[in-house]
Each structure stands twice: as structure tokens, then as C-alpha cells.
Amino acid sequence: RGHTIHIETQGTVGVEDELTPEQIKNADVAIIAADIQVSGKDRFKGLKTIDVPTDLVIKSPHKLIEKVEQIVNKK
């Protein structure tokens, strides 16, 4: 759909592909797809943030992207 995304993972092995402050600053929205507590969410202060369970992302990725597009386009 033409979007650029950056994905950071947090799990038992720690944080992988940690988002840079510049990536966060330039983002339109942050999607937090998690079933556990995520650390560092304060980095997204002032950014539109969507919290969803991981199964929603797996089962309905297209609907999630459509919803994100609606939210972002309400600027």
C-alpha cells in the first residue's frame, strides 16, 4: 500500500531493531502490537499511538492498516 514501516521487537531476548529518535519523530503513527507490557512507550509521547493485541495484527492486517490510514488522514 506504499507505506514505509519500521518494526521494533521486544521479547525474551531483549529489544531488537530499536527505533531511533529520528524514526519516531518522523512517524505519523505508532502501532503497539503486544500481549505483554511494553517498555519505553514514553518515547511516543505526542505521537498518535494505537495499542492492539498481536492476534488482531495476525488475523486482520488489512483492516488494521485501513484503520490506521483513517486515523492518520484525520490530521
Side-chain angles (χ1 to χ4, degrees):
R1 292 177 70 121
H3 301 292
T4 300
I5 65 168
H6 300 280
I7 300 173
E8 171 182 300
T9 60
Q10 295 185 18
T12 56
V13 295
V15 176
E16 295 181 1
D17 301 316
E18 185 171 0
L19 298 172
T20 66
E22 186 164 323
Q23 289 171 321
I24 295 168
K25 180 181 146 212
N26 293 326
D28 293 317
V29 66
I31 301 170
I32 310 291
D35 297 318
I36 60 168
Q37 183 69 26
V38 174
S39 65
K41 287 174 74 171
D42 56 317
R43 299 176 293 158
F44 304 114
K45 186 175 182 179
L47 181 63
K48 292 177 184 175
T49 304
I50 301 168
D51 289 279
V52 295
T54 55
D55 68 326
L56 183 120
V57 178
I58 294 166
K59 293 177 183 174
S60 302
H62 297 289
K63 288 187 187 253
L64 174 62
I65 295 300
E66 287 172 6
K67 185 67 172 173
V68 170
E69 289 172 339
Q70 290 172 359
I71 291 168
V72 170
N73 290 329
K74 286 184 181 180
K75 289 183 180 180

